[in-house]
Amino acid sequence: MTQPLIDTIVTTTFIRKDIDRRLGMLREYLEGKFFTGKTADVTFIAYLATQKISEEDREILPVWEHIITNTVTKDNFYDFFDSVNQRFKELPTVKLFIPFIPTSTDAHEFGIWFRKQVDPRIILELHEEPSLVAGCAFVWQGVYREYSLRYFLRQKIDVINTIFTSYAG
């Protein structure tokens, strides 16, 4: 029941934060439609027009909503979203630590690279880590790896100290 939505989300979105935000908006709209009445007489497109969201969200969210229009009902609403959340926990995820907040274009490029090089269904969790100069770090399958200038300088600290000592002596 959730597979078409999962497949669409994976093909349209790379970043966990974006997935969570978009699912939250979809869930909020459907809760209003089924339970509170806030959005009962409003189309999803009209609902999105009232929200402060990016153009990318405005393009992607209607596709997601279209997929579940005939799938989610008042009776299966909570089970459906619980199932979607569980399915996302099962997808491969990499935590990527970078020294800046990426633009949506940068995040998209990271996602494309990871999906080509690591796993076609991978989800990225991006974290800003300013102490990582000229590089990045990541956690994949529970293993932390760092590839920053700081890491490589630490690896060669004895050589660096010897060089400085020879100049100071």
Side-chain angles (χ1 to χ4, degrees):
M1 175 167 81
T2 60
Q3 193 60 46
L5 180 61
I6 297 295
D7 291 341
T8 301
I9 290 172
V10 167
T11 60
T12 59
T13 307
F14 299 103
I15 311 301
R16 165 84 59 202
K17 181 180 71 172
D18 293 340
I19 292 169
D20 292 343
R21 183 185 66 254
R22 291 171 183 160
L23 280 175
M25 293 186 72
L26 189 56
R27 183 180 179 124
E28 182 179 305
Y29 169 76
L30 292 172
E31 280 179 337
K33 181 177 178 179
F34 295 140
F35 304 109
T36 67
K38 287 183 180 179
T39 58
D41 298 326
V42 179
T43 67
F44 190 58
I45 302 295
Y47 167 76
L48 290 178
T50 67
Q51 305 298 306
K52 292 183 181 182
I53 60 174
S54 69
E55 284 304 312
E56 185 178 23
D57 286 348
R58 285 191 201 288
E59 292 172 15
I60 291 172
L61 280 165
V63 175
W64 294 13
E65 191 264 345
H66 177 73
I67 289 168
I68 67 169
T69 296
N70 296 320
T71 305
V72 179
T73 65
K74 185 176 184 175
D75 296 330
N76 72 4
F77 175 84
Y78 293 107
D79 290 337
F80 178 84
F81 279 97
D82 288 347
S83 177
V84 167
N85 287 328
Q86 182 58 41
R87 298 288 302 277
F88 270 105
K89 290 178 184 175
E90 297 166 4
L91 288 176
T93 301
V94 65
K95 293 180 182 182
L96 179 62
F97 300 89
I98 53 178
F100 60 93
I101 298 172
T103 65
S104 62
T105 302
D106 291 336
H108 187 79
E109 292 297 319
F110 291 146
I112 289 170
W113 187 90
F114 273 93
R115 290 209 177 145
K116 283 183 181 175
Q117 303 300 322
V118 180
D119 188 301
R121 296 178 62 79
I122 200 164
I123 303 298
L124 298 178
E125 288 184 15
L126 295 178
H127 302 276
E128 180 187 16
E129 180 54 58
S131 68
L132 294 171
V133 177
C136 71
F138 61 88
V139 176
W140 171 244
Q141 297 178 335
V143 178
Y144 177 84
R145 301 275 189 221
E146 184 176 332
Y147 298 97
S148 69
L149 180 61
R150 175 183 68 181
Y151 169 79
F152 291 109
L153 288 175
R154 285 182 182 159
Q155 297 299 310
K156 301 294 183 181
I157 193 70
D158 292 336
V159 173
I160 294 168
N161 284 335
T162 301
I163 293 169
F164 281 131
T165 301
S166 69
Y167 282 113

